[in-house]
Amino acid sequence: MASALPSASSATTSSAPLSVEKISKKAQEYEFNRLIPLRNWLRSSAALFKEAQIYEREGNDEQAYLLFFRQAELVLVKLATHPEARDGANRKALMEAEELVKTSLEKLEVLKPRINKRYERYTKLVRERDSRRSSQLANQSSLPRAPTHADPALAGVAKPLEAGENRDLAVRLAKTEISRRATVRRAIRQAGISEEVERSRRTGGLWTDWENTSDSTGSGAGDDLSKRIQELRVNLDQGSHQHPTARPSAVSPSYKYPTVPQQKSVDTVPLPPVSISGGSVRLDPPNLPPKEQILSRDQFGFDGLPPRPSKFLEAPALPAKIEQNETSSPAELDPGHFTFKPSAYLENGTPLRTVFLPPDLRTRFLAIAAPNTRNNLETCGILCGTLISNALFISKLLIPEQTATSDTCETVNESAIFDYCDSEDLMVLGWIHTHPTQTCFMSSRDLHTHCGYQVMLPESIAIVCAPSKSPDWGVFRLTDPPGLKSVLNCTQTGLFHPHTEPNIYTDALRPGHVFEARGLEFETVDLRPGS
């Protein structure tokens, strides 16, 4: 297993569609860890639902079905066994999650006949093709055999793209789609719809057709949700005990990880037809902990916290070259017409979706962090974005309320982070922080921090900025295996402790699943008081 919620790959990497039965089985192929807090799993459930909606809008029925099914199975089967599920304080949150399952069940009913129809058409075409070939071979065995070509009728509708070769297209896709979604949100708010109703419609799958919906729930009040939930719980539970359990990773006696290990080659790893992720849009980012070395606070001769920048900082304008080449019409840039192929893989062979990163984001973050850096204080930020055409685009740099010392940086009022992400329909894709005077590496506490992100979204990244050293920055992820499970299963309680696994994290940028895309727009939002 790659992680709690495996990474996604494009269904178009294989022209053969899957049956509903096979998709349902794949939807249950993830590792459920009861040590992860229930609130994180609930946020992961909401993230699965949001990703499923995007795939559905883009016409990828198989991945949408898989994620809707996984969300329902997670809530109705797995979370029912979580140790915190019996806590009365969690009752309301669980009930809200089950209400979301109601919409997932309705979506599954709509998607199922479409998937079955495509699968039946595919199997019929294959039988007819094989029958023709058998007849030709029998009647013309003495003739030269013609080369075999893929049947266009079996191909998917989305054009598969290599991320590294299509960065300009990725920028144009992101600009068009993010602008369209923002326009929808503005229209909703200008129509006088309350935030509560807006949120319920978004989670209820009514994001794109809100104007045709009344203020009622529109979700079939006559449906017996309790009966449907219990039936699904029984059906899913019959298959949920067939999953292999994760085996603990072997631990090496050595303790070295200041340098970035090379990424394992995966050229020979086959790409699964469908392997979908669900990450968490609103994952609680763990408190950013102290680093390994204790440094002097007044090394730069300054004391106190720095002044706050303005709340909204505009991203740099698109370079002239990109603007001049932007000639594609909105119809041609329909995200449903493209799908970015996985550009890297976990060490176990699971594909990772591409993450597109604005190159100017790091410079902007360092400018915000500069007063702290001069005072030898750390600064952190949250990387937010969205899913478009099977790729993840970082479009917001969120500066949370935080406290800082020379070797610590901890977020404060984390509910504000998730309220903002929810209101803007954003996913949390990782985090960024500074090492004012240390080298560019992931400390033991950094590893625990990032584990909380990556266990919910395998593509999550950690950017470390070390402006006084060379290299002065890096983009990292935990290896899997052995890094993710090694950190997840770590029971050491000391603030600073070694992880003896030598290959515990790796570079996600060179090579990896992260691509810088020149011209990709982003916005900086500062949630700190007084900013």
Side-chain angles (χ1 to χ4, degrees), residues 322-492:
I322 298 297
E323 292 176 346
Q324 293 169 0
N325 290 338
E326 241 174 50
T327 58
S328 300
S329 68
E332 292 173 333
L333 291 177
D334 184 342
H337 295 168
F338 305 95
T339 182
F340 286 95
K341 296 191 291 186
S343 50
Y345 301 82
L346 292 176
E347 286 66 22
N348 63 11
T350 301
L352 292 171
R353 290 173 293 186
T354 298
V355 174
F356 285 105
L357 171 68
D360 299 320
L361 184 143
R362 176 174 54 94
T363 303
R364 177 60 54 81
F365 175 69
L366 285 173
I368 295 172
N372 267 357
T373 303
R374 288 194 296 268
N375 284 338
N376 194 24
L377 299 173
E378 287 198 358
T379 308
C380 72
I382 309 297
L383 306 174
C384 304
T386 191
L387 170 68
I388 302 172
S389 300
N390 201 48
L392 300 164
F393 291 80
I394 295 175
S395 59
K396 298 272 182 159
L397 169 61
L398 200 62
I399 309 298
E401 185 177 352
Q402 56 194 270
T403 59
T405 70
S406 59
D407 47 60
T408 65
C409 184
E410 298 182 356
T411 57
V412 179
N413 191 20
E414 292 175 351
S415 61
I417 299 173
F418 305 117
D419 288 343
Y420 177 81
C421 290
D422 185 61
S423 68
E424 296 297 312
D425 204 28
L426 294 169
M427 301 171 64
V428 174
L429 303 179
W431 60 300
I432 182 171
H433 73 293
T434 55
H435 286 187
T437 59
Q438 298 181 71
T439 58
C440 182
F441 75 106
M442 294 279 281
S443 71
S444 63
R445 300 307 300 171
D446 287 343
L447 297 174
H448 277 272
T449 297
H450 190 62
C451 182
Y453 288 88
Q454 192 172 321
V455 76
M456 308 304 273
L457 181 69
E459 291 89 356
S460 294
I461 60 174
I463 301 179
V464 180
C465 297
S468 65
K469 305 296 181 181
S470 181
D472 59 358
W473 74 297
V475 184
F476 308 113
R477 67 167 175 84
L478 296 174
T479 57
D480 187 14
L484 181 64
K485 291 181 175 62
S486 176
V487 177
L488 186 62
N489 295 328
C490 176
T491 59
Q492 299 182 72

Side-chain angles (χ1 to χ4, degrees), residues 189-315:
R189 290 162 185 169
Q190 290 172 1
I193 297 175
S194 68
E195 291 185 5
E196 181 178 353
V197 173
E198 176 191 341
R199 184 176 296 109
S200 68
R201 287 179 174 177
R202 185 187 303 118
T203 57
L206 304 175
W207 181 258
T208 56
D209 58 353
W210 63 272
E211 67 276 8
N212 298 321
T213 309
S214 67
D215 286 341
S216 62
T217 60
S219 54
D223 292 341
D224 186 351
L225 175 61
S226 176
K227 180 179 179 181
R228 296 171 73 193
I229 284 177
Q230 292 302 322
E231 289 176 351
L232 182 61
R233 190 192 301 274
V234 171
N235 292 337
L236 297 182
D237 200 31
Q238 292 175 350
S240 64
H241 302 295
Q242 301 174 1
H243 309 146
T245 56
R247 292 177 292 181
S249 302
V251 177
S252 168
S254 61
Y255 167 51
K256 280 186 179 179
Y257 51 79
T259 56
V260 181
Q262 284 210 336
Q263 194 173 35
K264 183 177 179 180
S265 174
V266 291
D267 292 339
T268 59
V269 178
L271 180 64
V274 175
S275 178
I276 311 300
S277 85
S280 179
V281 175
R282 298 168 289 177
L283 170 64
D284 274 325
N287 289 338
L288 299 181
K291 297 294 173 290
E292 300 293 304
Q293 302 174 7
I294 305 300
L295 304 174
S296 172
R297 177 183 293 225
D298 60 357
Q299 180 172 342
F300 291 91
F302 292 91
D303 292 315
L305 291 173
R308 308 304 193 196
S310 61
K311 191 173 187 67
F312 291 92
L313 303 176
E314 295 298 328

Side-chain angles (χ1 to χ4, degrees), residues 88-250:
N90 295 320
R91 183 71 60 184
K92 181 180 178 181
L94 284 169
M95 290 179 64
E96 291 175 350
E98 290 198 353
E99 278 297 313
L100 198 61
V101 168
K102 180 176 182 179
T103 304
S104 288
L105 296 176
E106 293 169 349
K107 293 288 187 180
L108 291 173
E109 292 174 358
V110 173
L111 292 170
K112 182 176 180 179
R114 298 210 298 253
I115 293 173
N116 280 337
K117 182 177 181 181
R118 181 168 183 254
Y119 180 73
E120 291 167 2
R121 176 174 176 269
Y122 165 77
T123 54
K124 179 181 178 181
L125 289 171
V126 169
R127 287 195 301 268
E128 291 176 351
R129 184 185 62 187
D130 292 345
S131 176
R132 288 195 301 269
R133 288 178 178 173
S134 298
S135 176
Q136 291 172 355
L137 288 174
N139 298 329
Q140 305 176 13
S141 57
S142 60
L143 297 177
R145 182 173 300 179
T148 301
H149 299 285
D151 191 336
L154 306 183
V157 297
K159 178 181 179 181
L161 302 174
E162 295 285 351
E165 300 172 2
N166 293 277
R167 300 189 206 198
D168 289 348
L169 175 59
V171 169
R172 298 197 297 273
L173 273 173
K175 182 178 181 180
T176 301
E177 181 62 12
I178 291 174
S179 176
R180 186 196 68 80
R181 295 180 191 179
T183 300
V184 172
R185 287 195 298 272
R186 284 194 301 269
I188 291 174
R189 290 162 185 169
Q190 290 172 1
I193 297 175
S194 68
E195 291 185 5
E196 181 178 353
V197 173
E198 176 191 341
R199 184 176 296 109
S200 68
R201 287 179 174 177
R202 185 187 303 118
T203 57
L206 304 175
W207 181 258
T208 56
D209 58 353
W210 63 272
E211 67 276 8
N212 298 321
T213 309
S214 67
D215 286 341
S216 62
T217 60
S219 54
D223 292 341
D224 186 351
L225 175 61
S226 176
K227 180 179 179 181
R228 296 171 73 193
I229 284 177
Q230 292 302 322
E231 289 176 351
L232 182 61
R233 190 192 301 274
V234 171
N235 292 337
L236 297 182
D237 200 31
Q238 292 175 350
S240 64
H241 302 295
Q242 301 174 1
H243 309 146
T245 56
R247 292 177 292 181
S249 302

